[in-house]
Amino acid sequence: MTSHIPTTSGSPALPPSAIQSEDQLDEIMTRPSPRLIEHVKTLKSPLLVLGAAGKMGPSLAVSVQRAAAAAGHDLKIIAVSRFSGSQTRQWLESRGVATITCDLLERGAFEQLPDTLNLIYLVGLKFGTQQNPSLTWAVNTLVPTHVVERFPQARTVALSTGNVYPLVPVNSGGANETDLLTPLGEYSNAAVARERLFEYSARKYGTPLALLRLNYAVDLRYGVLLEIAQKVWANQPVDVTTGYFNCIWQGDANEMIVRSLDLASTPPTAFNLTGAETLSVRELAYRFGELMGRPVGIVSTEAETALLSNPARLCATLGKPATALEMVCGWTAHWVMSGGATLGKATRFEVRDGRF
Ligand SMILES: NC(=O)c1ccc[n+]([C@@H]2O[C@H](COP(=O)([O-])OP(=O)(O)OC[C@H]3O[C@@H](n4cnc5c(N)ncnc54)[C@H](OP(=O)(O)O)[C@@H]3O)[C@@H](O)[C@H]2O)c1
């Protein structure tokens, strides 16, 4: 399978067969595609990225910064978050992204944010819901309402999750955007509420909005592929009860999130954001076994349902994700074998009862 990662200048460069360091990973993850470079020329300053200090925000913000530099377009990107880990703020600023530290649960925080016509919303809370469900509901519902009230004119791309759907039959091709949002568990229902409150406020103020239901971004430092590879490398059995999933290289997800600003509409539209393939946990475990030279142990059998979504609607407009997952598997195997850094944040993709 061949795949090309575009360089900043827009000419294709062959991707490496292995990624050796976090610096190289960040360079590849934030390398803007020609499509992104074209897209950023249409954006006016500032681009606000809210919830920018998590797993996706830093690489997203820097990829836009690099795209603007490549386009010769003077675009100010402002990353807004609580920045609970101070290193992230420094990492962004050293790469030309401005930062504002604030807690968006506080209404007063919005006064320090500049007006904008383009906004990307990444704020979310999932893990810890079992211990403190009220905080999950507050973050996922109050903040969207504050945001639309403060930026009613802004084209807004708001991240949602594939967890808004119930589990679907594994051979169904995945949930579609028109399916009923009837998931199990408090986090998933708070995520439905996040969408509904965005939608309510956007309709009230005429705000152009696109909701992106993401299923599993993969980096080498976190994600479902990493978790399967780690099990195989550690000679631990792989449980295949949750036997199938979708995922997307995080660099592609970031690029499609930013380009979705053009899809923000009144009334709002929802799109599934993930890779087109339904991936088998069992097959991937054996693939990692081959790549890592390890025997593979499998436990359990595949359940008839899984968390799957169909990205056809978004891909019809933006095109398919550019990065081949077979290549990401190779990168992941090498990363695990060479002891590459990880975030220590499990996806818990095996969860079937909605308890996070
Ligand atoms: N990554 C995935 O595979 C995946 C899959 C499905 C859906 N999503 C959705 O995509 C979005 C981005 O994903 P992610 O993985 O980057 O999420 P993440 O790692 O959880 O990051 C979310 C960010 O929001 C910030 N935040 C939370 N509450 C805040 C508040 N009150 N004020 C200001 N900032 C606040 C966090 O805090 P700090 O600033 O303190 O760090 C963090 O930077 C999330 O909404 C998530 O639900 C992601």
Side-chain angles (χ1 to χ4, degrees):
M1 209 178 308
T2 51
S3 176
H4 295 279
I5 293 184
T7 58
T8 314
S9 62
S11 59
L14 278 176
S17 57
I19 295 178
Q20 309 291 351
S21 67
E22 280 202 86
D23 283 347
Q24 189 186 9
L25 173 56
D26 289 334
E27 197 285 317
I28 289 171
M29 182 81 75
T30 63
R31 196 183 290 173
S33 69
R35 292 188 298 199
L36 186 62
I37 294 167
E38 274 309 300
H39 177 76
V40 296
K41 291 179 190 168
T42 67
L43 301 182
K44 289 206 170 86
S45 288
L47 171 69
L48 279 195
V49 183
L50 305 186
K55 299 184 292 300
M56 302 183 74
S59 57
L60 182 147
V62 170
S63 69
V64 182
Q65 171 64 31
R66 291 181 66 185
H73 179 52
D74 187 15
L75 178 66
K76 181 164 190 179
I77 298 132
I78 305 178
V80 179
S81 225
R82 291 171 307 192
F83 291 103
S84 311
S86 58
Q87 281 180 348
T88 307
R89 188 170 183 184
Q90 195 186 17
W91 189 88
L92 283 163
E93 290 189 348
S94 67
R95 286 161 179 78
V97 174
T99 63
I100 296 176
T101 302
C102 64
D103 183 344
L104 296 169
L105 272 173
E106 306 292 336
R107 262 182 199 274
F110 286 83
E111 287 163 18
Q112 59 175 307
L113 302 183
D115 292 342
T116 184
L117 293 176
N118 293 294
L119 189 148
I120 293 174
Y121 182 90
L122 303 174
V123 177
L125 184 61
K126 177 176 186 178
F127 299 109
T129 299
Q130 276 299 105
Q131 293 72 38
N132 189 356
S134 62
L135 183 61
T136 295
W137 283 92
V139 170
N140 290 320
T141 63
L142 295 177
V143 183
T145 311
H146 297 168
V147 167
V148 180
E149 279 176 4
R150 171 65 183 85
F151 304 106
Q153 313 289 328
R155 290 191 306 171
T156 299
V157 174
L159 263 286
S160 177
T161 166
N163 285 94
V164 294
Y165 299 116
L167 305 183
V168 296
V170 297
N171 56 6
S172 64
N176 290 305
E177 289 85 348
T178 49
D179 289 1
L180 291 179
L181 306 186
T182 54
L184 271 184
E186 290 221 39
Y187 162 67
S188 302
N189 281 287
V192 174
R194 171 169 62 178
E195 284 200 15
R196 293 301 186 220
L197 287 166
F198 257 122
E199 188 185 339
Y200 168 77
S201 302
R203 283 178 183 270
K204 181 173 171 186
Y205 294 105
T207 304
L209 172 68
L211 293 160
L212 298 187
R213 297 171 181 162
L214 172 61
N215 262 4
Y216 301 124
V218 289
D219 189 317
L220 302 185
R221 292 162 288 208
Y222 83 98
V224 184
L225 295 181
L226 173 73
E227 289 166 28
I228 298 171
Q230 283 176 318
K231 284 227 163 99
V232 171
W233 184 239
N235 290 311
Q236 290 171 0
V238 178
D239 188 320
V240 296
T241 314
T242 294
Y244 298 89
F245 67 99
N246 310 115
C247 69
I248 179 171
W249 175 243
Q250 183 164 291
D252 292 342
N254 287 340
E255 192 245 35
M256 293 172 84
I257 290 167
V258 179
R259 290 171 57 228
S260 293
L261 284 165
D262 281 348
L263 306 182
S265 63
T266 317
T269 312
F271 298 90
N272 294 334
L273 171 59
T274 193
E277 304 101 320
T278 297
L279 301 170
S280 154
V281 174
R282 183 187 294 265
E283 284 175 17
L284 280 163
Y286 283 121
R287 180 71 185 123
F288 283 121
E290 276 170 20
L291 289 165
M292 300 167 134
R294 285 278 204 261
V296 175
I298 299 286
V299 289
S300 185
T301 53
E302 287 82 352
E304 289 177 2
T305 57
L307 186 73
L308 295 167
S309 54
N310 184 333
R313 179 187 275 182
L314 189 64
C315 292
T317 316
L318 297 185
K320 289 185 179 166
T323 307
L325 289 173
E326 170 59 16
M327 183 168 62
V328 181
C329 286
W331 290 344
T332 305
H334 177 269
W335 192 259
V336 171
M337 291 168 74
S338 57
T342 61
L343 298 182
K345 291 183 179 173
T347 59
R348 304 195 55 212
F349 77 98
E350 310 90 342
V351 167
R352 302 183 61 77
D353 61 4
R355 292 170 192 237
F356 293 100

PDB file of all heavy atoms in Angstrom, residues 162 164-176 179-180 182-183 215 241-246 272 278 303-310 352:
ATOM      1  N   GLY A 162     -18.428   9.537  18.559  1.00  0.00           N
ATOM      2  CA  GLY A 162     -19.230   8.401  18.111  1.00  0.00           C
ATOM      3  C   GLY A 162     -19.986   7.741  19.253  1.00  0.00           C
ATOM      4  O   GLY A 162     -20.922   6.967  19.020  1.00  0.00           O
ATOM      5  N   VAL A 164     -22.163   8.961  20.927  1.00  0.00           N
ATOM      6  CA  VAL A 164     -23.576   9.385  20.966  1.00  0.00           C
ATOM      7  C   VAL A 164     -24.497   8.304  20.405  1.00  0.00           C
ATOM      8  O   VAL A 164     -25.707   8.352  20.626  1.00  0.00           O
ATOM      9  CB  VAL A 164     -23.824  10.720  20.209  1.00  0.00           C
ATOM     10  CG1 VAL A 164     -23.113  11.862  20.899  1.00  0.00           C
ATOM     11  CG2 VAL A 164     -23.438  10.615  18.738  1.00  0.00           C
ATOM     12  N   TYR A 165     -23.913   7.318  19.683  1.00  0.00           N
ATOM     13  CA  TYR A 165     -24.738   6.235  19.136  1.00  0.00           C
ATOM     14  C   TYR A 165     -24.719   5.042  20.084  1.00  0.00           C
ATOM     15  O   TYR A 165     -23.742   4.816  20.796  1.00  0.00           O
ATOM     16  CB  TYR A 165     -24.173   5.754  17.793  1.00  0.00           C
ATOM     17  CG  TYR A 165     -24.124   6.798  16.710  1.00  0.00           C
ATOM     18  CD1 TYR A 165     -22.898   7.230  16.187  1.00  0.00           C
ATOM     19  CD2 TYR A 165     -25.293   7.343  16.198  1.00  0.00           C
ATOM     20  CE1 TYR A 165     -22.844   8.175  15.178  1.00  0.00           C
ATOM     21  CE2 TYR A 165     -25.241   8.299  15.181  1.00  0.00           C
ATOM     22  CZ  TYR A 165     -24.023   8.707  14.676  1.00  0.00           C
ATOM     23  OH  TYR A 165     -23.961   9.640  13.686  1.00  0.00           O
ATOM     24  N   PRO A 166     -25.777   4.230  20.031  1.00  0.00           N
ATOM     25  CA  PRO A 166     -25.687   2.930  20.719  1.00  0.00           C
ATOM     26  C   PRO A 166     -24.762   2.005  19.933  1.00  0.00           C
ATOM     27  O   PRO A 166     -24.369   2.323  18.802  1.00  0.00           O
ATOM     28  CB  PRO A 166     -27.143   2.418  20.653  1.00  0.00           C
ATOM     29  CG  PRO A 166     -27.750   3.105  19.478  1.00  0.00           C
ATOM     30  CD  PRO A 166     -27.047   4.430  19.323  1.00  0.00           C
ATOM     31  N   LEU A 167     -24.382   0.881  20.521  1.00  0.00           N
ATOM     32  CA  LEU A 167     -23.617  -0.127  19.782  1.00  0.00           C
ATOM     33  C   LEU A 167     -24.481  -0.621  18.620  1.00  0.00           C
ATOM     34  O   LEU A 167     -25.702  -0.734  18.749  1.00  0.00           O
ATOM     35  CB  LEU A 167     -23.246  -1.298  20.701  1.00  0.00           C
ATOM     36  CG  LEU A 167     -22.481  -0.938  21.993  1.00  0.00           C
ATOM     37  CD1 LEU A 167     -22.113  -2.211  22.760  1.00  0.00           C
ATOM     38  CD2 LEU A 167     -21.235  -0.115  21.695  1.00  0.00           C
ATOM     39  N   VAL A 168     -23.827  -0.904  17.486  1.00  0.00           N
ATOM     40  CA  VAL A 168     -24.582  -1.338  16.298  1.00  0.00           C
ATOM     41  C   VAL A 168     -24.041  -2.691  15.832  1.00  0.00           C
ATOM     42  O   VAL A 168     -22.901  -3.069  16.182  1.00  0.00           O
ATOM     43  CB  VAL A 168     -24.462  -0.299  15.145  1.00  0.00           C
ATOM     44  CG1 VAL A 168     -25.093   1.024  15.544  1.00  0.00           C
ATOM     45  CG2 VAL A 168     -23.000  -0.105  14.734  1.00  0.00           C
ATOM     46  N   PRO A 169     -24.807  -3.447  15.028  1.00  0.00           N
ATOM     47  CA  PRO A 169     -24.300  -4.730  14.520  1.00  0.00           C
ATOM     48  C   PRO A 169     -22.968  -4.534  13.798  1.00  0.00           C
ATOM     49  O   PRO A 169     -22.793  -3.568  13.039  1.00  0.00           O
ATOM     50  CB  PRO A 169     -25.406  -5.194  13.559  1.00  0.00           C
ATOM     51  CG  PRO A 169     -26.646  -4.539  14.074  1.00  0.00           C
ATOM     52  CD  PRO A 169     -26.209  -3.203  14.620  1.00  0.00           C
ATOM     53  N   VAL A 170     -22.056  -5.481  13.996  1.00  0.00           N
ATOM     54  CA  VAL A 170     -20.688  -5.295  13.495  1.00  0.00           C
ATOM     55  C   VAL A 170     -20.610  -5.316  11.964  1.00  0.00           C
ATOM     56  O   VAL A 170     -19.664  -4.796  11.388  1.00  0.00           O
ATOM     57  CB  VAL A 170     -19.703  -6.333  14.085  1.00  0.00           C
ATOM     58  CG1 VAL A 170     -19.592  -6.172  15.585  1.00  0.00           C
ATOM     59  CG2 VAL A 170     -20.113  -7.754  13.718  1.00  0.00           C
ATOM     60  N   ASN A 171     -21.621  -5.914  11.330  1.00  0.00           N
ATOM     61  CA  ASN A 171     -21.596  -5.949   9.857  1.00  0.00           C
ATOM     62  C   ASN A 171     -22.489  -4.881   9.234  1.00  0.00           C
ATOM     63  O   ASN A 171     -22.840  -4.961   8.061  1.00  0.00           O
ATOM     64  CB  ASN A 171     -22.000  -7.338   9.348  1.00  0.00           C
ATOM     65  CG  ASN A 171     -23.356  -7.747   9.895  1.00  0.00           C
ATOM     66  OD1 ASN A 171     -24.008  -6.936  10.558  1.00  0.00           O
ATOM     67  ND2 ASN A 171     -23.767  -8.973   9.635  1.00  0.00           N
ATOM     68  N   SER A 172     -22.849  -3.859  10.027  1.00  0.00           N
ATOM     69  CA  SER A 172     -23.805  -2.849   9.548  1.00  0.00           C
ATOM     70  C   SER A 172     -23.133  -1.736   8.751  1.00  0.00           C
ATOM     71  O   SER A 172     -23.809  -0.927   8.130  1.00  0.00           O
ATOM     72  CB  SER A 172     -24.523  -2.215  10.736  1.00  0.00           C
ATOM     73  OG  SER A 172     -23.576  -1.504  11.542  1.00  0.00           O
ATOM     74  N   GLY A 173     -21.805  -1.662   8.796  1.00  0.00           N
ATOM     75  CA  GLY A 173     -21.123  -0.524   8.157  1.00  0.00           C
ATOM     76  C   GLY A 173     -21.084   0.695   9.061  1.00  0.00           C
ATOM     77  O   GLY A 173     -20.548   1.740   8.678  1.00  0.00           O
ATOM     78  N   GLY A 174     -21.657   0.598  10.250  1.00  0.00           N
ATOM     79  CA  GLY A 174     -21.561   1.694  11.220  1.00  0.00           C
ATOM     80  C   GLY A 174     -22.785   2.581  11.245  1.00  0.00           C
ATOM     81  O   GLY A 174     -23.565   2.638  10.282  1.00  0.00           O
ATOM     82  N   ALA A 175     -22.956   3.285  12.369  1.00  0.00           N
ATOM     83  CA  ALA A 175     -24.108   4.175  12.540  1.00  0.00           C
ATOM     84  C   ALA A 175     -24.027   5.347  11.555  1.00  0.00           C
ATOM     85  O   ALA A 175     -22.940   5.832  11.237  1.00  0.00           O
ATOM     86  CB  ALA A 175     -24.122   4.704  13.975  1.00  0.00           C
ATOM     87  N   ASN A 176     -25.183   5.770  11.089  1.00  0.00           N
ATOM     88  CA  ASN A 176     -25.281   6.965  10.234  1.00  0.00           C
ATOM     89  C   ASN A 176     -25.779   8.144  11.053  1.00  0.00           C
ATOM     90  O   ASN A 176     -26.386   7.972  12.110  1.00  0.00           O
ATOM     91  CB  ASN A 176     -26.259   6.707   9.081  1.00  0.00           C
ATOM     92  CG  ASN A 176     -25.685   5.716   8.110  1.00  0.00           C
ATOM     93  OD1 ASN A 176     -24.586   5.906   7.604  1.00  0.00           O
ATOM     94  ND2 ASN A 176     -26.412   4.636   7.873  1.00  0.00           N
ATOM     95  N   ASP A 179     -29.291   8.156  12.512  1.00  0.00           N
ATOM     96  CA  ASP A 179     -29.706   7.165  13.515  1.00  0.00           C
ATOM     97  C   ASP A 179     -30.091   7.859  14.823  1.00  0.00           C
ATOM     98  O   ASP A 179     -29.625   8.972  15.121  1.00  0.00           O
ATOM     99  CB  ASP A 179     -28.558   6.178  13.804  1.00  0.00           C
ATOM    100  CG  ASP A 179     -28.313   5.228  12.647  1.00  0.00           C
ATOM    101  OD1 ASP A 179     -29.010   5.341  11.618  1.00  0.00           O
ATOM    102  OD2 ASP A 179     -27.412   4.375  12.767  1.00  0.00           O
ATOM    103  N   LEU A 180     -30.915   7.170  15.607  1.00  0.00           N
ATOM    104  CA  LEU A 180     -31.313   7.724  16.902  1.00  0.00           C
ATOM    105  C   LEU A 180     -30.115   7.762  17.853  1.00  0.00           C
ATOM    106  O   LEU A 180     -29.281   6.842  17.848  1.00  0.00           O
ATOM    107  CB  LEU A 180     -32.413   6.873  17.533  1.00  0.00           C
ATOM    108  CG  LEU A 180     -33.775   6.905  16.841  1.00  0.00           C
ATOM    109  CD1 LEU A 180     -34.750   5.992  17.578  1.00  0.00           C
ATOM    110  CD2 LEU A 180     -34.314   8.341  16.804  1.00  0.00           C
ATOM    111  N   THR A 182     -29.282   7.086  21.135  1.00  0.00           N
ATOM    112  CA  THR A 182     -29.783   6.418  22.340  1.00  0.00           C
ATOM    113  C   THR A 182     -28.693   5.535  22.950  1.00  0.00           C
ATOM    114  O   THR A 182     -28.852   4.315  23.054  1.00  0.00           O
ATOM    115  CB  THR A 182     -31.012   5.544  21.985  1.00  0.00           C
ATOM    116  OG1 THR A 182     -30.628   4.663  20.905  1.00  0.00           O
ATOM    117  CG2 THR A 182     -32.194   6.384  21.569  1.00  0.00           C
ATOM    118  N   PRO A 183     -27.566   6.157  23.371  1.00  0.00           N
ATOM    119  CA  PRO A 183     -26.466   5.356  23.907  1.00  0.00           C
ATOM    120  C   PRO A 183     -26.697   4.987  25.373  1.00  0.00           C
ATOM    121  O   PRO A 183     -27.612   5.507  26.012  1.00  0.00           O
ATOM    122  CB  PRO A 183     -25.279   6.317  23.798  1.00  0.00           C
ATOM    123  CG  PRO A 183     -25.893   7.668  24.018  1.00  0.00           C
ATOM    124  CD  PRO A 183     -27.260   7.601  23.397  1.00  0.00           C
ATOM    125  N   ASN A 215     -14.674   9.121  16.054  1.00  0.00           N
ATOM    126  CA  ASN A 215     -14.378   7.815  16.647  1.00  0.00           C
ATOM    127  C   ASN A 215     -12.883   7.558  16.610  1.00  0.00           C
ATOM    128  O   ASN A 215     -12.315   7.308  15.544  1.00  0.00           O
ATOM    129  CB  ASN A 215     -15.056   6.695  15.864  1.00  0.00           C
ATOM    130  CG  ASN A 215     -16.349   6.276  16.510  1.00  0.00           C
ATOM    131  OD1 ASN A 215     -16.764   6.865  17.497  1.00  0.00           O
ATOM    132  ND2 ASN A 215     -16.993   5.275  15.949  1.00  0.00           N
ATOM    133  N   THR A 241     -13.846  -9.316  22.747  1.00  0.00           N
ATOM    134  CA  THR A 241     -15.308  -9.184  22.911  1.00  0.00           C
ATOM    135  C   THR A 241     -15.804  -7.951  22.149  1.00  0.00           C
ATOM    136  O   THR A 241     -16.738  -8.035  21.349  1.00  0.00           O
ATOM    137  CB  THR A 241     -15.685  -9.044  24.406  1.00  0.00           C
ATOM    138  OG1 THR A 241     -14.978 -10.015  25.155  1.00  0.00           O
ATOM    139  CG2 THR A 241     -17.175  -9.191  24.590  1.00  0.00           C
ATOM    140  N   THR A 242     -15.179  -6.793  22.413  1.00  0.00           N
ATOM    141  CA  THR A 242     -15.422  -5.644  21.542  1.00  0.00           C
ATOM    142  C   THR A 242     -14.487  -5.846  20.364  1.00  0.00           C
ATOM    143  O   THR A 242     -13.310  -5.496  20.409  1.00  0.00           O
ATOM    144  CB  THR A 242     -15.133  -4.322  22.278  1.00  0.00           C
ATOM    145  OG1 THR A 242     -16.093  -4.199  23.332  1.00  0.00           O
ATOM    146  CG2 THR A 242     -15.242  -3.123  21.357  1.00  0.00           C
ATOM    147  N   GLY A 243     -15.017  -6.449  19.312  1.00  0.00           N
ATOM    148  CA  GLY A 243     -14.151  -7.015  18.292  1.00  0.00           C
ATOM    149  C   GLY A 243     -13.843  -6.099  17.124  1.00  0.00           C
ATOM    150  O   GLY A 243     -12.970  -6.415  16.303  1.00  0.00           O
ATOM    151  N   TYR A 244     -14.542  -4.957  17.047  1.00  0.00           N
ATOM    152  CA  TYR A 244     -14.383  -4.090  15.864  1.00  0.00           C
ATOM    153  C   TYR A 244     -14.429  -2.632  16.290  1.00  0.00           C
ATOM    154  O   TYR A 244     -15.065  -2.282  17.296  1.00  0.00           O
ATOM    155  CB  TYR A 244     -15.506  -4.378  14.862  1.00  0.00           C
ATOM    156  CG  TYR A 244     -15.465  -5.799  14.362  1.00  0.00           C
ATOM    157  CD1 TYR A 244     -16.157  -6.806  15.046  1.00  0.00           C
ATOM    158  CD2 TYR A 244     -14.712  -6.149  13.250  1.00  0.00           C
ATOM    159  CE1 TYR A 244     -16.089  -8.125  14.628  1.00  0.00           C
ATOM    160  CE2 TYR A 244     -14.645  -7.472  12.813  1.00  0.00           C
ATOM    161  CZ  TYR A 244     -15.334  -8.448  13.509  1.00  0.00           C
ATOM    162  OH  TYR A 244     -15.262  -9.754  13.101  1.00  0.00           O
ATOM    163  N   PHE A 245     -13.775  -1.790  15.530  1.00  0.00           N
ATOM    164  CA  PHE A 245     -13.779  -0.351  15.822  1.00  0.00           C
ATOM    165  C   PHE A 245     -13.393   0.401  14.561  1.00  0.00           C
ATOM    166  O   PHE A 245     -12.972  -0.193  13.558  1.00  0.00           O
ATOM    167  CB  PHE A 245     -12.801  -0.035  16.976  1.00  0.00           C
ATOM    168  CG  PHE A 245     -11.348  -0.265  16.626  1.00  0.00           C
ATOM    169  CD1 PHE A 245     -10.532   0.796  16.264  1.00  0.00           C
ATOM    170  CD2 PHE A 245     -10.796  -1.541  16.643  1.00  0.00           C
ATOM    171  CE1 PHE A 245      -9.188   0.577  15.922  1.00  0.00           C
ATOM    172  CE2 PHE A 245      -9.471  -1.764  16.307  1.00  0.00           C
ATOM    173  CZ  PHE A 245      -8.664  -0.698  15.948  1.00  0.00           C
ATOM    174  N   ASN A 246     -13.555   1.719  14.611  1.00  0.00           N
ATOM    175  CA  ASN A 246     -13.043   2.604  13.543  1.00  0.00           C
ATOM    176  C   ASN A 246     -12.010   3.522  14.164  1.00  0.00           C
ATOM    177  O   ASN A 246     -12.125   3.887  15.338  1.00  0.00           O
ATOM    178  CB  ASN A 246     -14.110   3.545  12.973  1.00  0.00           C
ATOM    179  CG  ASN A 246     -15.401   2.883  12.577  1.00  0.00           C
ATOM    180  OD1 ASN A 246     -16.435   3.146  13.168  1.00  0.00           O
ATOM    181  ND2 ASN A 246     -15.336   2.040  11.586  1.00  0.00           N
ATOM    182  N   ASN A 272     -20.108  12.190  10.873  1.00  0.00           N
ATOM    183  CA  ASN A 272     -19.208  11.222  11.509  1.00  0.00           C
ATOM    184  C   ASN A 272     -17.794  11.454  10.984  1.00  0.00           C
ATOM    185  O   ASN A 272     -17.597  11.619   9.775  1.00  0.00           O
ATOM    186  CB  ASN A 272     -19.624   9.792  11.176  1.00  0.00           C
ATOM    187  CG  ASN A 272     -20.972   9.429  11.787  1.00  0.00           C
ATOM    188  OD1 ASN A 272     -21.359  10.001  12.806  1.00  0.00           O
ATOM    189  ND2 ASN A 272     -21.672   8.498  11.177  1.00  0.00           N
ATOM    190  N   THR A 278     -14.016  -0.795   8.805  1.00  0.00           N
ATOM    191  CA  THR A 278     -14.348  -1.440  10.074  1.00  0.00           C
ATOM    192  C   THR A 278     -13.172  -2.364  10.396  1.00  0.00           C
ATOM    193  O   THR A 278     -12.907  -3.322   9.664  1.00  0.00           O
ATOM    194  CB  THR A 278     -15.653  -2.255   9.946  1.00  0.00           C
ATOM    195  OG1 THR A 278     -16.719  -1.358   9.644  1.00  0.00           O
ATOM    196  CG2 THR A 278     -15.965  -2.993  11.234  1.00  0.00           C
ATOM    197  N   ALA A 303     -18.400 -10.018  20.157  1.00  0.00           N
ATOM    198  CA  ALA A 303     -19.827  -9.754  20.351  1.00  0.00           C
ATOM    199  C   ALA A 303     -20.437  -9.317  19.013  1.00  0.00           C
ATOM    200  O   ALA A 303     -19.721  -8.909  18.097  1.00  0.00           O
ATOM    201  CB  ALA A 303     -20.008  -8.651  21.395  1.00  0.00           C
ATOM    202  N   GLU A 304     -21.748  -9.392  18.949  1.00  0.00           N
ATOM    203  CA  GLU A 304     -22.411  -9.086  17.669  1.00  0.00           C
ATOM    204  C   GLU A 304     -22.514  -7.587  17.403  1.00  0.00           C
ATOM    205  O   GLU A 304     -22.876  -7.178  16.299  1.00  0.00           O
ATOM    206  CB  GLU A 304     -23.811  -9.698  17.669  1.00  0.00           C
ATOM    207  CG  GLU A 304     -23.760 -11.213  17.557  1.00  0.00           C
ATOM    208  CD  GLU A 304     -25.125 -11.860  17.629  1.00  0.00           C
ATOM    209  OE1 GLU A 304     -26.135 -11.127  17.728  1.00  0.00           O
ATOM    210  OE2 GLU A 304     -25.163 -13.096  17.600  1.00  0.00           O
ATOM    211  N   THR A 305     -22.234  -6.773  18.436  1.00  0.00           N
ATOM    212  CA  THR A 305     -22.340  -5.326  18.254  1.00  0.00           C
ATOM    213  C   THR A 305     -21.043  -4.637  18.686  1.00  0.00           C
ATOM    214  O   THR A 305     -20.258  -5.191  19.451  1.00  0.00           O
ATOM    215  CB  THR A 305     -23.501  -4.739  19.093  1.00  0.00           C
ATOM    216  OG1 THR A 305     -23.264  -5.097  20.468  1.00  0.00           O
ATOM    217  CG2 THR A 305     -24.847  -5.260  18.634  1.00  0.00           C
ATOM    218  N   ALA A 306     -20.866  -3.419  18.176  1.00  0.00           N
ATOM    219  CA  ALA A 306     -19.684  -2.621  18.550  1.00  0.00           C
ATOM    220  C   ALA A 306     -19.992  -1.156  18.287  1.00  0.00           C
ATOM    221  O   ALA A 306     -21.006  -0.809  17.645  1.00  0.00           O
ATOM    222  CB  ALA A 306     -18.472  -3.056  17.738  1.00  0.00           C
ATOM    223  N   LEU A 307     -19.098  -0.273  18.786  1.00  0.00           N
ATOM    224  CA  LEU A 307     -19.250   1.165  18.546  1.00  0.00           C
ATOM    225  C   LEU A 307     -18.634   1.478  17.181  1.00  0.00           C
ATOM    226  O   LEU A 307     -17.408   1.521  17.046  1.00  0.00           O
ATOM    227  CB  LEU A 307     -18.530   1.944  19.647  1.00  0.00           C
ATOM    228  CG  LEU A 307     -18.722   3.452  19.608  1.00  0.00           C
ATOM    229  CD1 LEU A 307     -20.137   3.822  20.059  1.00  0.00           C
ATOM    230  CD2 LEU A 307     -17.707   4.155  20.487  1.00  0.00           C
ATOM    231  N   LEU A 308     -19.476   1.674  16.194  1.00  0.00           N
ATOM    232  CA  LEU A 308     -18.988   1.878  14.824  1.00  0.00           C
ATOM    233  C   LEU A 308     -19.776   3.012  14.186  1.00  0.00           C
ATOM    234  O   LEU A 308     -20.983   3.126  14.399  1.00  0.00           O
ATOM    235  CB  LEU A 308     -19.202   0.609  13.995  1.00  0.00           C
ATOM    236  CG  LEU A 308     -18.414  -0.625  14.430  1.00  0.00           C
ATOM    237  CD1 LEU A 308     -18.960  -1.866  13.737  1.00  0.00           C
ATOM    238  CD2 LEU A 308     -16.928  -0.431  14.128  1.00  0.00           C
ATOM    239  N   SER A 309     -19.117   3.805  13.385  1.00  0.00           N
ATOM    240  CA  SER A 309     -19.874   4.824  12.646  1.00  0.00           C
ATOM    241  C   SER A 309     -19.373   4.923  11.216  1.00  0.00           C
ATOM    242  O   SER A 309     -18.229   4.576  10.911  1.00  0.00           O
ATOM    243  CB  SER A 309     -19.838   6.170  13.365  1.00  0.00           C
ATOM    244  OG  SER A 309     -18.527   6.552  13.626  1.00  0.00           O
ATOM    245  N   ASN A 310     -20.256   5.416  10.378  1.00  0.00           N
ATOM    246  CA  ASN A 310     -20.018   5.459   8.935  1.00  0.00           C
ATOM    247  C   ASN A 310     -19.697   6.896   8.517  1.00  0.00           C
ATOM    248  O   ASN A 310     -20.548   7.777   8.632  1.00  0.00           O
ATOM    249  CB  ASN A 310     -21.288   4.966   8.238  1.00  0.00           C
ATOM    250  CG  ASN A 310     -21.111   4.884   6.741  1.00  0.00           C
ATOM    251  OD1 ASN A 310     -20.297   5.607   6.162  1.00  0.00           O
ATOM    252  ND2 ASN A 310     -21.856   4.009   6.107  1.00  0.00           N
ATOM    253  N   ARG A 352     -18.492  -1.620  27.181  1.00  0.00           N
ATOM    254  CA  ARG A 352     -19.742  -1.889  26.466  1.00  0.00           C
ATOM    255  C   ARG A 352     -20.962  -1.407  27.243  1.00  0.00           C
ATOM    256  O   ARG A 352     -22.074  -1.419  26.716  1.00  0.00           O
ATOM    257  CB  ARG A 352     -19.872  -3.391  26.190  1.00  0.00           C
ATOM    258  CG  ARG A 352     -18.715  -3.964  25.385  1.00  0.00           C
ATOM    259  CD  ARG A 352     -18.910  -5.426  25.057  1.00  0.00           C
ATOM    260  NE  ARG A 352     -20.101  -5.678  24.261  1.00  0.00           N
ATOM    261  CZ  ARG A 352     -20.191  -5.447  22.943  1.00  0.00           C
ATOM    262  NH1 ARG A 352     -19.158  -4.966  22.281  1.00  0.00           N
ATOM    263  NH2 ARG A 352     -21.304  -5.704  22.296  1.00  0.00           N
TER     264      ARG A 352
END
